Amino acid sequence: MSTDVPTPSNSSSELKSTASATTTSTKNGRPKIVLWGDSITQMSSSALDSGFSAHLSDAYQRRADVYNRGYSGYNTDWFLSYCKTTEGYNDILTLGGIDHTASGKGKEKSSVELVTIFFGANDASHHIHNKRQHVPLDKYKSNLKELIMLARKWYGQKVKIILMSPPPVYHAQRLQYQIDRYGKEKATGILERTLELSGEYAKVVGEVVNEAENENVAFLDLWTSMQEEDKDGWSRFLSDGLHLSRDGNIFVGKALLQTIAKQFPQVAVHADQQTGLWGNSASKCGEALERFGPWHDEINFEQEIFAKMKKFEKELEGGGNESLKRKRDESIGDDKMEK
């Protein structure tokens, strides 16, 4: 199973290295959360639909940046192939900041703390009615394992990974989607995706997680949890029987944060209990994260200016050092401007 990718150039030659790295702290810049997936992930940045990517960005404001790497229409085969191109390498794998070239030798620490892997909606297409996007179950399973290896190689061996199952498929909505898009005359009435098929692929995702040789892999079973959340009305989580509706995005956003809090508490964020806000001094985060820049209510400019004045006054005692006086005045002046 290969996770080699090309050298970052116009060449199609591949890098061949098994070196790894560990995750990083805020000393290496703001941590990253990277989302791998298909159209469901690509569309999750939608503010209009309260996308789950936007939900994560809200929760992790000033603590981590969320990078959406969802590609509409892709299955696991196509995503892996894209990662092996120069464009895919630069677009996806370099986010970790690990250099596997001969000079780099993979020594840099990754800035990626968490990656989600969310494929299956296209892989689970019917092998006859949508042969183009269909990926056989056994190949899908091996592809997921390769994606885990790829994440660990380029984002670090300690990167936290959440594998997400495909959501359930609602047949009536899929058939209506055909009519809405192609008209009654051209709609085939044949389901190219089914609830049963998506369930088989969801089960495989769970198997991959159970077989993963690392404790930093968690499973978010959307196929089951969505149906259990609303046994008679789970179709409200879908817009066309396949993609997420606004309710579906909100459900997935909350489910992701709950999974992180349970499986990876060191990178979990907890909102201010009084206001529900994620980005203020009353919000809390796990030990692996810090907020960037002091919260506004942690800043006391008057006190800082006074402390600097006292420091310079001590340095000036016993002599009239004009350069120190100018340094003091410039420093105080800068603080006043910032204030």
Side-chain angles (χ1 to χ4, degrees):
M1 193 179 301
S2 172
T3 57
D4 295 337
V5 299
T7 308
S9 66
N10 293 327
S11 166
S12 61
S13 61
E14 295 182 341
L15 303 174
K16 298 184 182 297
S17 171
T18 58
S20 63
T22 57
T23 52
T24 187
S25 69
T26 55
K27 293 180 180 179
N28 294 314
R30 189 171 297 200
K32 299 181 180 76
I33 296 172
V34 186
L35 315 181
W36 292 357
D38 49 38
S39 58
I40 299 177
T41 296
Q42 178 179 313
M43 297 163 65
S44 73
S45 292
S46 170
L48 183 63
D49 290 328
S50 297
F52 66 82
S53 173
H55 197 97
L56 289 176
S57 294
D58 183 24
Y60 282 89
Q61 54 186 279
R62 285 178 63 175
R63 290 187 168 108
D65 288 333
V66 178
Y67 288 75
N68 187 328
R69 292 298 182 266
Y71 300 85
S72 179
Y74 278 42
N75 54 31
T76 51
D77 275 344
W78 297 353
F79 185 84
L80 283 167
S81 295
Y82 179 58
C83 286
K84 294 175 183 178
T85 66
T86 299
E87 180 181 315
Y89 166 82
N90 290 325
D91 190 28
I92 300 170
L93 303 183
T94 59
L95 290 173
I98 297 178
D99 184 2
H100 282 296
T101 62
S103 59
K105 298 182 180 178
K107 291 182 179 179
E108 289 84 355
K109 291 183 179 180
S110 173
S111 58
V112 176
E113 284 287 347
L114 174 74
V115 59
T116 63
I117 300 176
F118 190 7
F119 290 97
N122 296 317
D123 301 71
S125 296
H126 194 279
H127 70 285
I128 294 176
H129 305 309
N130 188 3
K131 183 178 179 180
R132 180 171 180 268
Q133 290 177 300
H134 169 76
V135 174
L137 265 176
D138 57 344
K139 186 65 162 57
Y140 174 66
K141 185 173 185 177
S142 66
N143 283 350
L144 289 178
K145 291 182 178 180
E146 186 170 354
L147 287 169
I148 292 174
M149 291 172 59
L150 200 68
R152 288 176 178 166
K153 176 175 180 178
W154 293 99
Y155 297 161
Q157 288 295 319
K158 293 184 179 180
V159 67
K160 300 153 193 69
I161 300 171
I162 299 177
L163 259 66
M164 303 167 65
S165 81
V169 174
Y170 195 72
H171 295 176
Q173 286 180 323
R174 290 309 293 162
L175 294 174
Q176 184 60 47
Y177 169 76
Q178 287 186 16
I179 296 173
D180 293 342
R181 181 168 181 177
Y182 304 109
K184 287 185 178 181
E185 295 181 357
K186 293 184 178 181
T188 65
I190 298 173
L191 290 166
E192 87 293 2
R193 293 173 174 84
T194 68
L195 178 64
E196 292 74 24
L197 280 173
S198 60
E200 291 177 13
Y201 283 70
K203 182 180 178 181
V204 165
V205 181
E207 292 174 358
V208 171
V209 173
N210 290 333
E211 295 170 9
E213 297 177 358
N214 190 305
E215 60 186 14
N216 285 334
V217 181
F219 179 35
L220 177 50
D221 184 0
L222 295 174
W223 191 88
T224 300
S225 60
M226 281 185 166
Q227 294 181 75
E228 290 181 347
E229 177 71 14
D230 192 343
K231 296 184 183 301
D232 298 321
W234 58 265
S235 63
R236 68 185 177 89
F237 295 131
L238 305 170
S239 62
D240 58 3
L242 178 69
H243 297 95
L244 301 178
S245 64
R246 186 175 187 275
D247 283 352
N249 269 300
I250 292 173
F251 178 87
V252 173
K254 290 181 177 179
L256 273 171
L257 291 177
Q258 290 169 356
T259 300
I260 293 170
K262 181 179 180 180
Q263 300 293 331
F264 310 122
Q266 63 271 44
V267 294
V269 180
H270 304 279
D272 177 352
Q273 292 185 359
Q274 184 174 358
T275 66
L277 297 176
W278 299 97
N280 63 22
S281 58
S283 63
K284 306 297 180 184
C285 61
E287 59 187 20
L289 295 179
E290 299 176 16
R291 55 99 178 95
F292 277 74
W295 303 115
H296 72 88
D297 51 0
E298 295 174 339
I299 298 172
N300 187 333
F301 282 107
E302 295 293 342
Q303 187 175 18
E304 289 183 8
I305 292 173
F306 179 76
K308 285 184 177 182
M309 288 177 65
K310 295 294 289 183
K311 178 181 177 181
F312 280 116
E313 289 297 338
K314 287 184 177 181
E315 293 175 353
L316 287 169
E317 286 180 3
N321 191 318
E322 293 301 324
S323 64
L324 279 175
K325 288 181 180 179
R326 285 195 300 271
K327 186 178 178 182
R328 176 197 62 184
D329 294 340
E330 289 171 0
S331 175
I332 294 171
D334 289 343
D335 284 334
K336 288 181 178 179
M337 288 178 66
E338 291 176 5
K339 182 180 175 183

